[in-house]
Structures are given as structure tokens and as C-alpha cells.
Amino acid sequence: MGRVTPAQIAAAARALRAGELVAFPTETVYGLGADARNPAAVRRIFAVKGRPARHPLIVHLADIGQLPAWAREVPEAARRLAERFWPGPLTLVLPRAAGVEDSVTGGQDTVALRVPANPVAQQLLAAFGGGIAAPSANRYGRVSPTCAEHVREEFGETVPIVLDGGECAIGLESTIVAFQDGVARLLRPGRITAGEITALIGPLAIGADAGSPRVPGSTPAHYAPSTPLSIVPSEQIEARSAALAHGGRPVAVLAWRPSAAPHPGVLWIDAGARAPQYAHDLYAHLRTLDKSGAERILVQDVPDGEAWAAIRDRLRRAAAGAKQETP
Ligand code: TXA
Ligand code: MG
């Protein structure tokens, strides 16, 4: 990395101890962190993001050894996932230990925990020593940041401390698995797939059930640019974008292959047909398209298959969250 000095890490850890916010890189997206044991600091996260107060946050830990301080009970299957995938892009929702703040859990009896792999996040957690509560470092409902510049775009001087760890390696938020009443449940798809989890622990329920906790990332409107965005069936993408451009409206396309019929009025971004690279670039592309002056963003529907599941999920939410117009 090289961009973050030991002095910056030490200063950021001091700021956390003083109840201030610190934005920091993880391998998924940038987080907006606060001391998870300091309710006033945690409340500041909600204020700065504009996030509804009872939406729970993920607590980031330095290593698996800190688990007992936060979870009062760790099912065998959860332990196996933690041992296999931590540090890494996996969040476990577990019964909370005594003393875990209501401001972090939204008053629920569970807490979301994750050990991130990004070296800057690791250094910050080691220097701080405690849990860091951190949602993605974006205003509520908007596109998550995957580089330090995006965080500054979101918050400017409101969040003066942004540790710049470069681009996030993965680019999509962590996979979330909840353990309740003996059932493992996938609450949010991510780089670690349902198949990988099932291979390790057996059956996995998919999606939030009626009685399950609130997951704001799972409300339909999320991860949204401000330009209207719609998903177009793959084989119609050239014709639909050209038709809009003919009508004189600037249109931008996010595709996974080059255009078969390039049109001068269409800004065409080819994000490639490899899911990991597509995911890595997705939020940066959405920001670019949002700023391109296009009146409409059309997204070519992505291929089927598990490697694309998290991407498909975020695109659906971006479409639900953006202002809709029929193409
Ligand atoms: O990759 C990530 O997970 C990033 C980085 C910064 O670690 N963080 C992130 O945080 O995406 P956020 O707040 O944007 O999304 C966290 C998700 C939310 O959908 C939240 O509702 C869910 O985790 N969550 C947190 N605590 C929960 C709980 N006790 N039960 C169910 N869901 C919970
Ligand atoms: Mg978020």
C-alpha cells in the first residue's frame, strides 16, 4: 500500500479513542468507523450518514480471538466459517454478548461481526485494540465508496480523517450470514458465495425471513446513483440504448462486452465478462456514469451463475433506488 504511514495509523487510533470518526479501507468497500463501545461516537455515524438510527452496524475486529467479547454464543458452523474465511469478506450475525451497545445493534439481540483482511484495516484495528463499528462510508442509500476519493466526495470536511489504502480489492460489500435458532441464513450475497458456505456447513436459508432482523442493504432501494438506471435484457442493449440516443437524450450504458453496434450518442462502458473485475469496478463505474451528463443509465443484464450473484443483487437494488422512467 505505502500510502498510510504508521504515524497516520496511530493518529487515527487516537481519534477513535477520542470518540471521533475515521474512514478506512477494507477489502470490500471503505468503512466509516467509530469506537463500538462509545455510544456517542456510534450515534455520530448515523448523523453523518443520514442513516435511520435503528439500522444495525457491523463491528470490525482484529482477529477471531476477540469473538467472545462480542458474541455470547458461537455455533459450531459459525466458528467453522470464521476459521475458514477470516480475515476476509464475511460478516457473521451472532447472539450479542452482554455490554454490546444498543446503538450498534439497533436494540436487537444479535450483533454483526467481521475480521477484515485489508492491511490498513488490520493495522488500524491492531493499534486501536477494540471493535470498530463501521457501515460503508457513503450517505444513506447511495453507492458505496471503493477508494478514498469517493469517501471525500460523500462527506468532504465532515469526515477529515480518511486513511487512503487505494482501491478496494473486491469492491462489493461482505457476504452476511446470520445464525438464529440453529438456522444459517444468507442475508446479503458477496464474494464468498452461497455454494462455498454450503460446502462447509451444509444447508443455508436464503434471504431475510419475516421475523429476521433489519438489513437496510436488503431494502430494495439502495446502492443507487441519482441518474435513472434500468436493467435491460442482454440482447436488447444495443437497440434500446440507440433508440434513446436517437431521441436526442444522452444515454450511458454499463455492459460486460463491447457494443455490437456502436452509436455516437451512447457512452458505452465495457466492464468485462469476468465477475471479479466487474465487481471491483462496479461502484466506480456507477459514479462515473452518474457524472457523465447522461439522462439515463442502462445496464446490460449480467450472466447467470453464482459468480455474478452479488453483482446481480446490487444492480437490482441500484435500479430500485434510482428514479425510474420507462425506457
Ligand atoms: O463489507 C462490508 O460489510 C462493509 C465494510 C465496511 O465492512 N460494511 C457494510 O456495512 O457494508 P453496512 O452498514 O453498509 O451494511 C451492513 C449490513 C446492513 O445491511 C445491516 O443491516 C446488517 O449488516 N446488519 C448489521 N447488524 C445486523 C444484525 N444484528 N442483524 C442483521 N443484519 C445486521
Ligand atoms: Mg452500506
Side-chain angles (χ1 to χ4, degrees):
M1 234 69 336
R3 293 182 228 204
V4 178
T5 64
Q8 285 175 310
I9 295 284
R14 271 198 307 278
L16 288 172
R17 273 180 223 115
E20 291 166 33
L21 303 186
V22 170
F24 64 99
T26 81
E27 67 277 30
T28 58
V29 301
Y30 274 69
L32 181 61
D35 176 358
R37 299 285 193 201
N38 179 340
V42 172
R43 277 197 297 273
R44 200 160 298 148
I45 293 178
F46 289 91
V48 165
K49 273 190 66 112
R51 175 162 163 139
R54 293 184 68 79
H55 285 195
L57 303 176
I58 297 172
V59 178
H60 298 71
L61 306 176
D63 57 65
I64 195 171
Q66 295 182 335
L67 210 41
W70 298 87
R72 67 172 181 272
E73 181 191 315
V74 183
E76 169 56 26
R79 180 162 300 281
R80 242 181 296 153
L81 288 179
E83 281 168 0
R84 168 71 180 78
F85 292 115
W86 283 356
L90 176 73
T91 296
L92 298 175
V93 174
L94 299 169
R96 71 167 164 180
V100 178
E101 293 291 337
D102 279 338
S103 54
V104 169
T105 67
Q108 301 179 83
D109 192 37
T110 54
V111 61
L113 300 167
R114 160 161 128 79
V115 176
N118 176 284
V120 174
Q122 283 275 333
Q123 288 163 38
L124 179 65
L125 284 159
F128 177 60
I132 301 178
S136 51
N138 52 278
R139 286 172 296 124
Y140 181 64
R142 312 309 303 180
V143 177
S144 297
T146 53
C147 65
E149 195 49 41
H150 295 168
V151 179
R152 293 188 200 106
E153 274 174 28
E154 292 290 317
F155 300 122
E157 280 311 302
T158 313
V159 179
I161 307 179
V162 181
L163 296 177
D164 186 349
E167 290 178 13
C168 299
I170 293 174
L172 293 183
E173 301 80 357
S174 59
T175 303
I176 304 182
V177 180
F179 288 86
Q180 269 178 319
D181 309 321
V183 177
R185 186 174 287 280
L186 182 72
L187 295 185
R188 182 174 69 185
R191 165 63 71 83
I192 296 169
T193 63
E196 289 177 274
I197 293 166
T198 303
L200 204 64
I201 64 166
L204 182 66
I206 307 286
D209 71 3
S212 71
R214 293 169 296 278
V215 187
S218 75
T219 55
H222 227 81
Y223 313 108
S226 46
T227 310
L229 179 153
S230 23
I231 299 168
V232 172
S234 188
E235 67 288 356
Q236 294 174 20
I237 188 69
E238 280 88 356
R240 294 273 287 275
S241 54
L244 281 174
H246 270 304
R249 306 174 63 191
V251 47
V253 166
L254 180 62
W256 48 265
R257 56 163 171 71
S259 173
H263 186 291
V266 176
L267 167 66
W268 186 283
I269 293 186
D270 174 11
R274 289 179 52 252
Q277 186 68 42
Y278 190 109
H280 174 273
D281 299 337
L282 174 61
Y283 290 148
H285 282 327
L286 289 180
R287 282 173 190 265
T288 301
L289 291 168
D290 215 9
K291 286 186 280 195
S292 69
E295 282 177 34
R296 298 289 313 277
I297 299 172
L298 301 187
V299 178
Q300 179 186 22
D301 206 358
V302 295
D304 290 334
E306 205 175 35
W308 292 86
I311 294 166
R312 213 176 298 116
D313 170 77
R314 303 310 190 276
L315 288 174
R316 296 278 179 280
R317 295 184 204 295
K323 286 171 275 168
Q324 285 305 292
E325 277 176 55
T326 43

